[in-house]
Each structure stands twice: as C-alpha cells, then as structure tokens.
Amino acid sequence: MRALFDVTHPAHVHLFKHAIAELDRDGHDVRVLSREKEVTTALLDAAEIEHRPLSRKGGSPLALAREWLGRELRVLGEVLRFDPDLVVSRLNPAAVHAARLTDTPSIVFHDTEPADKLASWTLPFADVVCTPAAFEERWSGQRRYQGYQELAYLHPSRFDPDPEALREDGVAVDDRYSVIRLVAGDAHHDYGNDSLPTDVRARVVDALSELGPVYASVEADGEAPAGTEPLPVPPERLHDLLAFADCYVGDSNTTAVEAGLLGTPALRYDTFGAGALQNFVELESEYGLVRSTGDGHRLLELVNGVARQPDAAAARWREARNRLLADKVDVTGYMLDLLELEVRR
C-alpha cells in the first residue's frame, strides 16, 4: 500500500500517528505532509514520524487564504510525485482536491458539527467520509463507526498512562492537581462558541486550587489565568497529565473529550447550545463523561462539586469510562481495516 497522510493540526497527529507507525512497520510506503501550526511538527518529531512541512499557518485572514492556496498546489505536486493508492486526511480541502484531480481515492475523517463552509469545500469531493455513529450530518460515501476520533490514540490498546514519565517532569502524580485548557477561538470549529469569560476563569481557578496545583494550557498568545502554573510536561505527554488529573475544565472541545475518555472528570464551557455537537450529547447523556454548560454560574457549581468530592467524582467517571469502552471500538484498528479494504477495491 502507498498511503499519503496530510496532517495540518496537532490533533491530526494524534489521530493518525498509530496508523502511520503500524503501516510503516508492516512495510507499506507512507508519506506524511505537515503544516507548521502550533505544535504539529513538534508532535510528529516526538512520534518519530518523518514528514514534509508544506506551509506555515497564516497570521491574518489574507495570509491564511494565501497559505491554503499555496498548500493546494504543493499537495497536488506531492500526490503527483508520490502516486499514492490512498490520500488520508481530517477535513482537509487541499488533500481531497489533490486526490480528486489525480483520480486517487481519498478518505476523510470528520467529527465536527457544524463545519459549514469547510465541510462544503471538502466532503463532496471525498470518496469516503468517516464519522462517529452519533453524527447527525449526512454525506455521500459516509461510513459510521462506534467511537470518537480520540479513541484512535486513547483507547487502552493504544495508550497506557505513564506515571513515571510525569514524575520525571516533576509532577506529584499521587497528589491532587487539575488542568485547565483555553483555546484561541480562531479555528473553523470554534466559530459561534465563546471563550471562557475572564471573571469565571478566576473563580474556577480558585475552586480548583482547593485540589492542589492548577496547570494551564493556553492556545496561541493567550495569557494564563492568575494562580495557575504552566504545563510541566512537553506536548506529547499532555495525555499522561490529563489521565492522572483530578479534574479538567476548559473551552477546548478536543481536550474535554480526551479527559473524559481517560476517566478524568471533564467540565466544558460551551456556548454552541444544547444538541449542536452530537458527540457531546452522547458523552453527557449516555455516559456522563463530559459535562457541558454555557452558563458561568453553572460551570462553577460543577467545579465546586468536583472540588468538594474529588474521590466520589473520580469513581463515577471511571465507571462511566468502563461502560463506554465496552461499547466503542479501537478507532486506529478501524482505520487500518478501512484502508486495506479501500485499496483492495
């Protein structure tokens, strides 16, 4: 098999890294294209994945448009030179357009509702669109799987939290601590969602401080809330940190899912509105693993509930996680089976 992966965001590294590594171990010819956005290339390097950066994230709408126009041409050139059997990406118009222009089958993983313009620019040109089973949107070539993209790298068959690595970074794993994540709010999937208000952040940190240190991950050039500490681990070990945390709070959708899937109480600030993102409807109503609210006062109530009874909260989340894992699949395994099936067609 000759497979080309286009990786343009840090979350995409985690989504595809195990599949890329397994294909490489099995002797398949794999090429990875990358983008200099946040820690994308650093995560690929940490995973020892050889990759070729094709663009850097633009700092303004005009620069972003120029970047993606140039990326369209560069990805097309890479596809023409490599001649892959499949092009694999995560809602990436450049990859899908290049595949269509070269008559190469393309597989897109998509888990964000609503994606609006980006989806309309991408998905009609894809051969296969893979979405979680809870997804309400309908697309041609859609394949549904029982799981979430985060289970491609956080399923127990792919990830085992390492307390010793955390201790080496100075984290007191056996003591209580929390993690807060604040996003920049400029990604396509953030439009329509407000960031956690500054006054609520301060009160959240005060409540979490009752558990111990509060480690903050702040996207782009945002300022960490007073009373927090910077992340004590490199980006590739964030999931170890989340796994042993007593609580996660933030406005990041992906990190909220990650924390919940690791059995860590996950509290998410969300102003999309009830029912807008079906993954979160299922995670809350079916499993109670991620609690979401767009009301700052309600978020503080949830935080205080965890802070006052961290052991009881942790027990509830662990039990819910076990129920979810019994219902869901190893998404990397699903991905590899799908790639093999598509190549044989």
Side-chain angles (χ1 to χ4, degrees):
M1 181 192 307
R2 295 170 64 82
L4 184 144
F5 289 78
D6 196 11
V7 178
T8 59
H9 186 282
H12 307 177
V13 180
H14 297 304
L15 172 62
F16 295 127
K17 65 184 179 183
H18 292 293
I20 290 169
E22 193 159 327
L23 288 170
D24 186 61
R25 283 196 301 269
D26 290 346
H28 298 287
D29 200 351
V30 181
R31 178 165 297 182
V32 179
L33 309 179
S34 63
R35 180 185 184 218
E36 294 181 32
K37 171 183 167 59
E38 300 162 21
V39 295
T40 303
T41 55
L43 287 173
L44 286 166
D45 291 340
E48 299 183 345
I49 294 174
E50 185 177 343
H51 60 98
R52 186 169 301 178
L54 295 188
S55 68
R56 181 189 298 270
K57 181 189 175 185
S60 68
L62 179 58
L64 201 62
R66 287 175 175 167
E67 180 209 351
W68 277 101
L69 178 59
R71 189 173 187 89
E72 291 262 353
L73 297 174
R74 295 186 190 102
V75 174
L76 177 59
E78 293 290 337
V79 172
L80 286 169
R81 283 187 287 273
F82 184 54
D83 189 26
D85 298 311
L86 291 169
V87 172
V88 187
S89 64
R90 193 245 181 247
L91 199 61
N92 183 330
V96 173
H97 296 165
R100 175 57 64 94
L101 287 170
T102 58
D103 198 27
T104 305
S106 62
I107 296 176
V108 173
F109 280 79
H110 175 40
D111 76 338
T112 303
E113 297 174 294
D116 298 333
K117 288 183 179 179
L118 187 59
S120 66
W121 293 338
T122 307
L123 300 183
F125 305 99
D127 294 285
V128 177
V129 179
C130 299
T131 71
F135 224 61
E136 284 194 338
E137 290 184 0
R138 299 290 187 268
W139 296 95
S140 176
Q142 190 168 8
R143 308 283 181 83
R144 298 170 180 274
Y145 57 88
Q146 286 293 340
Y148 312 99
Q149 288 187 4
E150 292 79 6
L151 282 174
Y153 52 96
L154 294 180
H155 191 278
S157 63
R158 305 292 168 181
F159 178 69
D160 185 18
D162 186 355
E164 291 307 317
L166 291 178
R167 291 189 179 99
E168 290 174 5
D169 288 321
V171 179
V173 178
D174 298 322
D175 294 339
R176 303 194 185 281
Y177 67 86
S178 303
V179 177
I180 185 169
R181 166 74 169 161
L182 304 171
V183 301
D186 59 355
H188 73 88
H189 50 260
D190 293 321
Y191 294 145
N193 194 38
D194 296 329
S195 297
L196 186 62
T198 303
D199 61 325
V200 178
R201 295 180 190 184
R203 296 172 68 186
V204 164
V205 171
D206 286 344
L208 291 177
S209 296
E210 296 180 14
L211 296 176
V214 181
Y215 298 116
S217 169
V218 183
E219 199 170 66
D221 297 323
E223 185 175 345
T228 64
E229 301 179 23
L231 290 183
V233 299
E236 64 270 20
R237 286 214 279 275
L238 174 62
H239 300 125
D240 293 294
L241 188 71
L242 280 174
F244 292 99
D246 288 88
C247 185
Y248 161 79
V249 182
D251 50 28
S252 166
N253 290 335
T254 299
T255 313
V257 176
E258 291 171 338
L261 294 181
L262 290 167
T264 298
L267 309 176
R268 166 179 166 263
Y269 184 75
D270 158 54
T271 57
F272 278 112
L277 304 174
Q278 291 304 307
N279 280 357
F280 287 103
V281 173
E282 182 176 84
L283 283 165
E284 180 155 3
S285 63
E286 296 293 326
Y287 301 104
L289 280 168
V290 180
R291 306 285 174 82
S292 301
T293 179
D295 184 306
H297 294 293
R298 174 57 181 158
L299 181 67
L300 285 166
E301 289 178 358
L302 292 170
V303 170
N304 281 316
V306 171
R308 291 192 186 106
Q309 294 184 311
D311 293 332
R316 289 196 302 271
W317 257 265
R318 283 196 300 270
E319 181 181 348
R321 175 181 185 257
N322 291 336
R323 288 193 292 108
L324 179 141
L325 290 174
D327 295 339
K328 305 301 181 183
V329 301
D330 166 13
V331 175
T332 289
Y334 168 85
M335 187 185 304
L336 290 167
D337 289 344
L338 177 64
L339 266 57
E340 183 176 352
L341 179 64
E342 291 303 311
V343 166
R344 289 179 177 177
R345 285 184 183 276

